[in-house]
PDB file of all heavy atoms in Angstrom:
ATOM      1  N   LEU A  55       0.801  -1.202   0.004  1.00  0.00           N
ATOM      2  CA  LEU A  55       0.016  -0.008  -0.012  1.00  0.00           C
ATOM      3  C   LEU A  55       0.845   1.278  -0.021  1.00  0.00           C
ATOM      4  O   LEU A  55       0.588   2.188  -0.767  1.00  0.00           O
ATOM      5  CB  LEU A  55      -0.934  -0.004   1.206  1.00  0.00           C
ATOM      6  CG  LEU A  55      -2.111  -1.015   1.132  1.00  0.00           C
ATOM      7  CD1 LEU A  55      -2.967  -0.899   2.378  1.00  0.00           C
ATOM      8  CD2 LEU A  55      -2.926  -0.827  -0.103  1.00  0.00           C
ATOM      9  N   THR A  56       1.887   1.342   0.845  1.00  0.00           N
ATOM     10  CA  THR A  56       2.646   2.565   0.947  1.00  0.00           C
ATOM     11  C   THR A  56       3.449   2.803  -0.305  1.00  0.00           C
ATOM     12  O   THR A  56       3.536   3.939  -0.780  1.00  0.00           O
ATOM     13  CB  THR A  56       3.574   2.511   2.168  1.00  0.00           C
ATOM     14  OG1 THR A  56       4.356   1.289   2.146  1.00  0.00           O
ATOM     15  CG2 THR A  56       2.775   2.565   3.467  1.00  0.00           C
ATOM     16  N   GLU A  57       4.067   1.772  -0.867  1.00  0.00           N
ATOM     17  CA  GLU A  57       4.864   1.922  -2.078  1.00  0.00           C
ATOM     18  C   GLU A  57       3.977   2.150  -3.327  1.00  0.00           C
ATOM     19  O   GLU A  57       4.350   2.892  -4.230  1.00  0.00           O
ATOM     20  CB  GLU A  57       5.740   0.699  -2.297  1.00  0.00           C
ATOM     21  CG  GLU A  57       6.843   0.567  -1.240  1.00  0.00           C
ATOM     22  CD  GLU A  57       7.738  -0.600  -1.499  1.00  0.00           C
ATOM     23  OE1 GLU A  57       7.625  -1.234  -2.589  1.00  0.00           O
ATOM     24  OE2 GLU A  57       8.572  -0.965  -0.658  1.00  0.00           O
ATOM     25  N   GLY A  58       2.824   1.542  -3.334  1.00  0.00           N
ATOM     26  CA  GLY A  58       1.953   1.638  -4.489  1.00  0.00           C
ATOM     27  C   GLY A  58       1.142   2.923  -4.509  1.00  0.00           C
ATOM     28  O   GLY A  58       0.554   3.296  -5.540  1.00  0.00           O
ATOM     29  N   SER A  59       1.115   3.659  -3.380  1.00  0.00           N
ATOM     30  CA  SER A  59       0.265   4.847  -3.303  1.00  0.00           C
ATOM     31  C   SER A  59       0.668   5.922  -4.293  1.00  0.00           C
ATOM     32  O   SER A  59      -0.190   6.633  -4.823  1.00  0.00           O
ATOM     33  CB  SER A  59       0.326   5.439  -1.878  1.00  0.00           C
ATOM     34  OG  SER A  59       1.646   5.830  -1.543  1.00  0.00           O
ATOM     35  N   LYS A  60       1.950   6.041  -4.595  1.00  0.00           N
ATOM     36  CA  LYS A  60       2.383   7.116  -5.513  1.00  0.00           C
ATOM     37  C   LYS A  60       1.893   6.876  -6.948  1.00  0.00           C
ATOM     38  O   LYS A  60       1.750   7.793  -7.707  1.00  0.00           O
ATOM     39  CB  LYS A  60       3.903   7.280  -5.514  1.00  0.00           C
ATOM     40  CG  LYS A  60       4.649   6.191  -6.267  1.00  0.00           C
ATOM     41  CD  LYS A  60       6.132   6.521  -6.401  1.00  0.00           C
ATOM     42  CE  LYS A  60       6.846   5.473  -7.266  1.00  0.00           C
ATOM     43  NZ  LYS A  60       8.260   5.839  -7.493  1.00  0.00           N
ATOM     44  N   HIS A  61       1.586   5.629  -7.296  1.00  0.00           N
ATOM     45  CA  HIS A  61       1.066   5.326  -8.614  1.00  0.00           C
ATOM     46  C   HIS A  61      -0.324   5.874  -8.836  1.00  0.00           C
ATOM     47  O   HIS A  61      -0.813   6.056  -9.949  1.00  0.00           O
ATOM     48  CB  HIS A  61       1.090   3.836  -8.880  1.00  0.00           C
ATOM     49  CG  HIS A  61       2.477   3.245  -8.881  1.00  0.00           C
ATOM     50  ND1 HIS A  61       3.400   3.571  -9.836  1.00  0.00           N
ATOM     51  CD2 HIS A  61       3.054   2.365  -8.032  1.00  0.00           C
ATOM     52  CE1 HIS A  61       4.538   2.910  -9.579  1.00  0.00           C
ATOM     53  NE2 HIS A  61       4.374   2.185  -8.505  1.00  0.00           N
ATOM     54  N   LEU A  62      -1.019   6.177  -7.730  1.00  0.00           N
ATOM     55  CA  LEU A  62      -2.361   6.747  -7.811  1.00  0.00           C
ATOM     56  C   LEU A  62      -2.334   8.211  -8.236  1.00  0.00           C
ATOM     57  O   LEU A  62      -3.343   8.743  -8.675  1.00  0.00           O
ATOM     58  CB  LEU A  62      -3.137   6.615  -6.481  1.00  0.00           C
ATOM     59  CG  LEU A  62      -3.217   5.190  -5.901  1.00  0.00           C
ATOM     60  CD1 LEU A  62      -3.998   5.252  -4.582  1.00  0.00           C
ATOM     61  CD2 LEU A  62      -3.870   4.238  -6.869  1.00  0.00           C
ATOM     62  N   LEU A  63      -1.180   8.860  -8.072  1.00  0.00           N
ATOM     63  CA  LEU A  63      -1.071  10.273  -8.376  1.00  0.00           C
ATOM     64  C   LEU A  63      -1.312  10.562  -9.831  1.00  0.00           C
ATOM     65  O   LEU A  63      -1.928  11.600 -10.160  1.00  0.00           O
ATOM     66  CB  LEU A  63       0.326  10.800  -7.969  1.00  0.00           C
ATOM     67  CG  LEU A  63       0.699  10.690  -6.468  1.00  0.00           C
ATOM     68  CD1 LEU A  63       2.124  11.145  -6.239  1.00  0.00           C
ATOM     69  CD2 LEU A  63      -0.271  11.585  -5.671  1.00  0.00           C
ATOM     70  N   THR A  64      -0.895   9.667 -10.728  1.00  0.00           N
ATOM     71  CA  THR A  64      -1.135   9.885 -12.147  1.00  0.00           C
ATOM     72  C   THR A  64      -2.614   9.904 -12.458  1.00  0.00           C
ATOM     73  O   THR A  64      -3.104  10.718 -13.223  1.00  0.00           O
ATOM     74  CB  THR A  64      -0.437   8.784 -12.959  1.00  0.00           C
ATOM     75  OG1 THR A  64       0.968   8.848 -12.714  1.00  0.00           O
ATOM     76  CG2 THR A  64      -0.691   8.977 -14.441  1.00  0.00           C
ATOM     77  N   PHE A  65      -3.370   8.983 -11.813  1.00  0.00           N
ATOM     78  CA  PHE A  65      -4.791   8.925 -12.012  1.00  0.00           C
ATOM     79  C   PHE A  65      -5.486  10.187 -11.539  1.00  0.00           C
ATOM     80  O   PHE A  65      -6.402  10.729 -12.170  1.00  0.00           O
ATOM     81  CB  PHE A  65      -5.401   7.697 -11.374  1.00  0.00           C
ATOM     82  CG  PHE A  65      -5.026   6.396 -12.016  1.00  0.00           C
ATOM     83  CD1 PHE A  65      -3.753   5.818 -11.810  1.00  0.00           C
ATOM     84  CD2 PHE A  65      -5.905   5.757 -12.848  1.00  0.00           C
ATOM     85  CE1 PHE A  65      -3.416   4.622 -12.404  1.00  0.00           C
ATOM     86  CE2 PHE A  65      -5.582   4.535 -13.433  1.00  0.00           C
ATOM     87  CZ  PHE A  65      -4.321   3.986 -13.207  1.00  0.00           C
ATOM     88  N   MET A  66      -5.051  10.680 -10.347  1.00  0.00           N
ATOM     89  CA  MET A  66      -5.639  11.905  -9.832  1.00  0.00           C
ATOM     90  C   MET A  66      -5.319  13.101 -10.685  1.00  0.00           C
ATOM     91  O   MET A  66      -6.134  14.002 -10.870  1.00  0.00           O
ATOM     92  CB  MET A  66      -5.158  12.143  -8.392  1.00  0.00           C
ATOM     93  CG  MET A  66      -5.854  11.277  -7.376  1.00  0.00           C
ATOM     94  SD  MET A  66      -5.499  11.803  -5.668  1.00  0.00           S
ATOM     95  CE  MET A  66      -3.851  11.119  -5.442  1.00  0.00           C
ATOM     96  N   ALA A  67      -4.091  13.145 -11.261  1.00  0.00           N
ATOM     97  CA  ALA A  67      -3.685  14.266 -12.067  1.00  0.00           C
ATOM     98  C   ALA A  67      -4.618  14.437 -13.270  1.00  0.00           C
ATOM     99  O   ALA A  67      -5.116  15.515 -13.598  1.00  0.00           O
ATOM    100  CB  ALA A  67      -2.244  14.104 -12.538  1.00  0.00           C
ATOM    101  N   VAL A  68      -4.846  13.296 -14.021  1.00  0.00           N
ATOM    102  CA  VAL A  68      -5.736  13.417 -15.180  1.00  0.00           C
ATOM    103  C   VAL A  68      -7.193  13.548 -14.700  1.00  0.00           C
ATOM    104  O   VAL A  68      -8.018  14.164 -15.393  1.00  0.00           O
ATOM    105  CB  VAL A  68      -5.562  12.177 -16.088  1.00  0.00           C
ATOM    106  CG1 VAL A  68      -6.060  10.896 -15.435  1.00  0.00           C
ATOM    107  CG2 VAL A  68      -6.255  12.405 -17.431  1.00  0.00           C
ATOM    108  N   GLY A  69      -7.518  12.982 -13.565  1.00  0.00           N
ATOM    109  CA  GLY A  69      -8.896  13.066 -13.057  1.00  0.00           C
ATOM    110  C   GLY A  69      -9.349  14.494 -12.822  1.00  0.00           C
ATOM    111  O   GLY A  69     -10.475  14.843 -13.198  1.00  0.00           O
ATOM    112  N   LEU A  70      -8.460  15.328 -12.278  1.00  0.00           N
ATOM    113  CA  LEU A  70      -8.865  16.709 -12.035  1.00  0.00           C
ATOM    114  C   LEU A  70      -9.026  17.489 -13.348  1.00  0.00           C
ATOM    115  O   LEU A  70      -9.849  18.419 -13.414  1.00  0.00           O
ATOM    116  CB  LEU A  70      -7.864  17.399 -11.090  1.00  0.00           C
ATOM    117  CG  LEU A  70      -6.477  17.748 -11.569  1.00  0.00           C
ATOM    118  CD1 LEU A  70      -6.436  19.111 -12.286  1.00  0.00           C
ATOM    119  CD2 LEU A  70      -5.528  17.783 -10.379  1.00  0.00           C
ATOM    120  N   PHE A  71      -8.267  17.145 -14.374  1.00  0.00           N
ATOM    121  CA  PHE A  71      -8.493  17.774 -15.659  1.00  0.00           C
ATOM    122  C   PHE A  71      -9.862  17.456 -16.231  1.00  0.00           C
ATOM    123  O   PHE A  71     -10.534  18.294 -16.804  1.00  0.00           O
ATOM    124  CB  PHE A  71      -7.394  17.321 -16.671  1.00  0.00           C
ATOM    125  CG  PHE A  71      -6.146  18.177 -16.657  1.00  0.00           C
ATOM    126  CD1 PHE A  71      -5.266  18.123 -15.561  1.00  0.00           C
ATOM    127  CD2 PHE A  71      -5.863  19.009 -17.702  1.00  0.00           C
ATOM    128  CE1 PHE A  71      -4.117  18.914 -15.518  1.00  0.00           C
ATOM    129  CE2 PHE A  71      -4.700  19.797 -17.691  1.00  0.00           C
ATOM    130  CZ  PHE A  71      -3.842  19.764 -16.591  1.00  0.00           C
ATOM    131  N   LEU A  72     -10.288  16.192 -16.064  1.00  0.00           N
ATOM    132  CA  LEU A  72     -11.634  15.824 -16.573  1.00  0.00           C
ATOM    133  C   LEU A  72     -12.728  16.343 -15.706  1.00  0.00           C
ATOM    134  O   LEU A  72     -13.771  16.762 -16.224  1.00  0.00           O
ATOM    135  CB  LEU A  72     -11.713  14.281 -16.672  1.00  0.00           C
ATOM    136  CG  LEU A  72     -10.862  13.633 -17.737  1.00  0.00           C
ATOM    137  CD1 LEU A  72     -11.246  12.179 -17.903  1.00  0.00           C
ATOM    138  CD2 LEU A  72     -10.958  14.337 -19.083  1.00  0.00           C
ATOM    139  N   VAL A  73     -12.513  16.415 -14.368  1.00  0.00           N
ATOM    140  CA  VAL A  73     -13.518  17.005 -13.469  1.00  0.00           C
ATOM    141  C   VAL A  73     -13.746  18.468 -13.861  1.00  0.00           C
ATOM    142  O   VAL A  73     -14.861  18.949 -13.839  1.00  0.00           O
ATOM    143  CB  VAL A  73     -13.058  16.851 -12.030  1.00  0.00           C
ATOM    144  CG1 VAL A  73     -13.952  17.684 -11.111  1.00  0.00           C
ATOM    145  CG2 VAL A  73     -13.131  15.398 -11.611  1.00  0.00           C
ATOM    146  N   ALA A  74     -12.667  19.165 -14.174  1.00  0.00           N
ATOM    147  CA  ALA A  74     -12.807  20.596 -14.553  1.00  0.00           C
ATOM    148  C   ALA A  74     -13.633  20.743 -15.858  1.00  0.00           C
ATOM    149  O   ALA A  74     -14.242  21.797 -16.069  1.00  0.00           O
ATOM    150  CB  ALA A  74     -11.455  21.226 -14.712  1.00  0.00           C
ATOM    151  N   MET A  75     -13.618  19.727 -16.686  1.00  0.00           N
ATOM    152  CA  MET A  75     -14.329  19.801 -17.973  1.00  0.00           C
ATOM    153  C   MET A  75     -15.803  19.430 -17.851  1.00  0.00           C
ATOM    154  O   MET A  75     -16.572  19.522 -18.809  1.00  0.00           O
ATOM    155  CB  MET A  75     -13.688  18.910 -19.026  1.00  0.00           C
ATOM    156  CG  MET A  75     -12.220  19.294 -19.389  1.00  0.00           C
ATOM    157  SD  MET A  75     -12.072  20.986 -20.034  1.00  0.00           S
ATOM    158  CE  MET A  75     -11.291  21.812 -18.653  1.00  0.00           C
ATOM    159  N   MET A  76     -16.235  18.903 -16.701  1.00  0.00           N
ATOM    160  CA  MET A  76     -17.624  18.456 -16.562  1.00  0.00           C
ATOM    161  C   MET A  76     -18.575  19.644 -16.617  1.00  0.00           C
ATOM    162  O   MET A  76     -18.343  20.689 -15.995  1.00  0.00           O
ATOM    163  CB  MET A  76     -17.776  17.727 -15.203  1.00  0.00           C
ATOM    164  CG  MET A  76     -17.085  16.389 -15.126  1.00  0.00           C
ATOM    165  SD  MET A  76     -17.323  15.622 -13.509  1.00  0.00           S
ATOM    166  CE  MET A  76     -16.484  14.033 -13.754  1.00  0.00           C
ATOM    167  N   GLU A  77     -19.625  19.453 -17.378  1.00  0.00           N
ATOM    168  CA  GLU A  77     -20.668  20.473 -17.477  1.00  0.00           C
ATOM    169  C   GLU A  77     -21.667  20.252 -16.373  1.00  0.00           C
ATOM    170  O   GLU A  77     -22.664  19.559 -16.543  1.00  0.00           O
ATOM    171  CB  GLU A  77     -21.334  20.394 -18.874  1.00  0.00           C
ATOM    172  CG  GLU A  77     -20.446  20.800 -20.026  1.00  0.00           C
ATOM    173  CD  GLU A  77     -20.239  22.297 -20.112  1.00  0.00           C
ATOM    174  OE1 GLU A  77     -20.854  23.020 -19.311  1.00  0.00           O
ATOM    175  OE2 GLU A  77     -19.474  22.731 -20.980  1.00  0.00           O
ATOM    176  N   THR A  78     -21.410  20.824 -15.198  1.00  0.00           N
ATOM    177  CA  THR A  78     -22.271  20.647 -14.059  1.00  0.00           C
ATOM    178  C   THR A  78     -22.728  22.007 -13.520  1.00  0.00           C
ATOM    179  O   THR A  78     -21.962  22.979 -13.627  1.00  0.00           O
ATOM    180  CB  THR A  78     -21.625  19.833 -12.974  1.00  0.00           C
ATOM    181  OG1 THR A  78     -20.444  20.490 -12.543  1.00  0.00           O
ATOM    182  CG2 THR A  78     -21.274  18.436 -13.458  1.00  0.00           C
ATOM    183  N   ARG A  79     -23.833  22.058 -12.912  1.00  0.00           N
ATOM    184  CA  ARG A  79     -24.337  23.327 -12.365  1.00  0.00           C
ATOM    185  C   ARG A  79     -23.501  23.773 -11.173  1.00  0.00           C
ATOM    186  O   ARG A  79     -23.271  23.022 -10.262  1.00  0.00           O
ATOM    187  CB  ARG A  79     -25.822  23.131 -11.921  1.00  0.00           C
ATOM    188  CG  ARG A  79     -26.523  24.456 -11.684  1.00  0.00           C
ATOM    189  CD  ARG A  79     -27.970  24.229 -11.342  1.00  0.00           C
ATOM    190  NE  ARG A  79     -28.698  25.479 -11.185  1.00  0.00           N
ATOM    191  CZ  ARG A  79     -29.956  25.612 -10.857  1.00  0.00           C
ATOM    192  NH1 ARG A  79     -30.643  24.478 -10.639  1.00  0.00           N
ATOM    193  NH2 ARG A  79     -30.543  26.763 -10.724  1.00  0.00           N
ATOM    194  N   PHE A  80     -23.040  24.970 -11.222  1.00  0.00           N
ATOM    195  CA  PHE A  80     -22.215  25.592 -10.163  1.00  0.00           C
ATOM    196  C   PHE A  80     -20.903  24.873  -9.917  1.00  0.00           C
ATOM    197  O   PHE A  80     -20.204  25.184  -8.977  1.00  0.00           O
ATOM    198  CB  PHE A  80     -23.006  25.707  -8.831  1.00  0.00           C
ATOM    199  CG  PHE A  80     -24.326  26.413  -8.960  1.00  0.00           C
ATOM    200  CD1 PHE A  80     -25.485  25.735  -8.642  1.00  0.00           C
ATOM    201  CD2 PHE A  80     -24.389  27.697  -9.426  1.00  0.00           C
ATOM    202  CE1 PHE A  80     -26.703  26.415  -8.758  1.00  0.00           C
ATOM    203  CE2 PHE A  80     -25.589  28.367  -9.549  1.00  0.00           C
ATOM    204  CZ  PHE A  80     -26.774  27.731  -9.200  1.00  0.00           C
ATOM    205  N   TYR A  81     -20.574  23.887 -10.786  1.00  0.00           N
ATOM    206  CA  TYR A  81     -19.306  23.145 -10.656  1.00  0.00           C
ATOM    207  C   TYR A  81     -19.094  22.624  -9.247  1.00  0.00           C
ATOM    208  O   TYR A  81     -17.995  22.689  -8.656  1.00  0.00           O
ATOM    209  CB  TYR A  81     -18.139  24.039 -11.111  1.00  0.00           C
ATOM    210  CG  TYR A  81     -18.166  24.299 -12.563  1.00  0.00           C
ATOM    211  CD1 TYR A  81     -18.877  25.352 -13.099  1.00  0.00           C
ATOM    212  CD2 TYR A  81     -17.492  23.465 -13.464  1.00  0.00           C
ATOM    213  CE1 TYR A  81     -18.896  25.612 -14.503  1.00  0.00           C
ATOM    214  CE2 TYR A  81     -17.524  23.699 -14.826  1.00  0.00           C
ATOM    215  CZ  TYR A  81     -18.246  24.753 -15.329  1.00  0.00           C
ATOM    216  OH  TYR A  81     -18.274  24.979 -16.695  1.00  0.00           O
ATOM    217  N   ARG A  82     -20.179  22.096  -8.656  1.00  0.00           N
ATOM    218  CA  ARG A  82     -20.090  21.586  -7.283  1.00  0.00           C
ATOM    219  C   ARG A  82     -19.128  20.432  -7.132  1.00  0.00           C
ATOM    220  O   ARG A  82     -18.447  20.292  -6.113  1.00  0.00           O
ATOM    221  CB  ARG A  82     -21.487  21.189  -6.803  1.00  0.00           C
ATOM    222  CG  ARG A  82     -22.397  22.408  -6.541  1.00  0.00           C
ATOM    223  CD  ARG A  82     -23.819  21.980  -6.205  1.00  0.00           C
ATOM    224  NE  ARG A  82     -24.474  21.369  -7.378  1.00  0.00           N
ATOM    225  CZ  ARG A  82     -25.745  21.046  -7.435  1.00  0.00           C
ATOM    226  NH1 ARG A  82     -26.504  21.275  -6.376  1.00  0.00           N
ATOM    227  NH2 ARG A  82     -26.287  20.527  -8.503  1.00  0.00           N
ATOM    228  N   LYS A  83     -19.031  19.597  -8.142  1.00  0.00           N
ATOM    229  CA  LYS A  83     -18.103  18.461  -8.083  1.00  0.00           C
ATOM    230  C   LYS A  83     -16.674  18.950  -8.088  1.00  0.00           C
ATOM    231  O   LYS A  83     -15.815  18.388  -7.364  1.00  0.00           O
ATOM    232  CB  LYS A  83     -18.375  17.473  -9.250  1.00  0.00           C
ATOM    233  CG  LYS A  83     -19.804  16.901  -9.215  1.00  0.00           C
ATOM    234  CD  LYS A  83     -20.012  15.997 -10.413  1.00  0.00           C
ATOM    235  CE  LYS A  83     -21.472  15.535 -10.403  1.00  0.00           C
ATOM    236  NZ  LYS A  83     -22.435  16.643 -10.618  1.00  0.00           N
ATOM    237  N   ALA A  84     -16.378  19.929  -8.902  1.00  0.00           N
ATOM    238  CA  ALA A  84     -15.023  20.527  -8.916  1.00  0.00           C
ATOM    239  C   ALA A  84     -14.715  21.188  -7.591  1.00  0.00           C
ATOM    240  O   ALA A  84     -13.565  21.072  -7.072  1.00  0.00           O
ATOM    241  CB  ALA A  84     -14.871  21.488 -10.057  1.00  0.00           C
ATOM    242  N   VAL A  85     -15.699  21.823  -6.995  1.00  0.00           N
ATOM    243  CA  VAL A  85     -15.475  22.464  -5.679  1.00  0.00           C
ATOM    244  C   VAL A  85     -15.188  21.400  -4.611  1.00  0.00           C
ATOM    245  O   VAL A  85     -14.323  21.563  -3.773  1.00  0.00           O
ATOM    246  CB  VAL A  85     -16.717  23.291  -5.271  1.00  0.00           C
ATOM    247  CG1 VAL A  85     -16.642  23.747  -3.846  1.00  0.00           C
ATOM    248  CG2 VAL A  85     -16.857  24.498  -6.229  1.00  0.00           C
ATOM    249  N   PHE A  86     -15.948  20.292  -4.685  1.00  0.00           N
ATOM    250  CA  PHE A  86     -15.688  19.226  -3.734  1.00  0.00           C
ATOM    251  C   PHE A  86     -14.277  18.650  -3.849  1.00  0.00           C
ATOM    252  O   PHE A  86     -13.580  18.470  -2.831  1.00  0.00           O
ATOM    253  CB  PHE A  86     -16.743  18.092  -3.964  1.00  0.00           C
ATOM    254  CG  PHE A  86     -16.457  16.834  -3.257  1.00  0.00           C
ATOM    255  CD1 PHE A  86     -16.507  16.714  -1.868  1.00  0.00           C
ATOM    256  CD2 PHE A  86     -16.036  15.688  -3.968  1.00  0.00           C
ATOM    257  CE1 PHE A  86     -16.215  15.540  -1.224  1.00  0.00           C
ATOM    258  CE2 PHE A  86     -15.774  14.508  -3.309  1.00  0.00           C
ATOM    259  CZ  PHE A  86     -15.856  14.430  -1.953  1.00  0.00           C
ATOM    260  N   VAL A  87     -13.876  18.351  -5.091  1.00  0.00           N
ATOM    261  CA  VAL A  87     -12.517  17.802  -5.312  1.00  0.00           C
ATOM    262  C   VAL A  87     -11.475  18.818  -4.873  1.00  0.00           C
ATOM    263  O   VAL A  87     -10.489  18.494  -4.184  1.00  0.00           O
ATOM    264  CB  VAL A  87     -12.312  17.421  -6.766  1.00  0.00           C
ATOM    265  CG1 VAL A  87     -10.875  17.097  -7.047  1.00  0.00           C
ATOM    266  CG2 VAL A  87     -13.203  16.239  -7.155  1.00  0.00           C
ATOM    267  N   GLY A  88     -11.683  20.114  -5.233  1.00  0.00           N
ATOM    268  CA  GLY A  88     -10.748  21.152  -4.815  1.00  0.00           C
ATOM    269  C   GLY A  88     -10.651  21.250  -3.279  1.00  0.00           C
ATOM    270  O   GLY A  88      -9.555  21.494  -2.760  1.00  0.00           O
ATOM    271  N   ALA A  89     -11.780  21.182  -2.608  1.00  0.00           N
ATOM    272  CA  ALA A  89     -11.754  21.265  -1.153  1.00  0.00           C
ATOM    273  C   ALA A  89     -10.931  20.118  -0.503  1.00  0.00           C
ATOM    274  O   ALA A  89     -10.167  20.305   0.433  1.00  0.00           O
ATOM    275  CB  ALA A  89     -13.198  21.251  -0.603  1.00  0.00           C
ATOM    276  N   VAL A  90     -11.078  18.910  -1.095  1.00  0.00           N
ATOM    277  CA  VAL A  90     -10.330  17.743  -0.592  1.00  0.00           C
ATOM    278  C   VAL A  90      -8.833  17.970  -0.824  1.00  0.00           C
ATOM    279  O   VAL A  90      -8.003  17.737   0.069  1.00  0.00           O
ATOM    280  CB  VAL A  90     -10.811  16.460  -1.293  1.00  0.00           C
ATOM    281  CG1 VAL A  90      -9.880  15.273  -0.904  1.00  0.00           C
ATOM    282  CG2 VAL A  90     -12.230  16.127  -0.898  1.00  0.00           C
TER     283      VAL A  90
END
């Protein structure tokens, strides 16, 4: 788990790019991810 955790960073990096592209009202999902 500890050594494999850094491999998740690539998924999160592209994930936030796609979350920003989501057509959602008030961008609440992007706000949630940004808050985390």
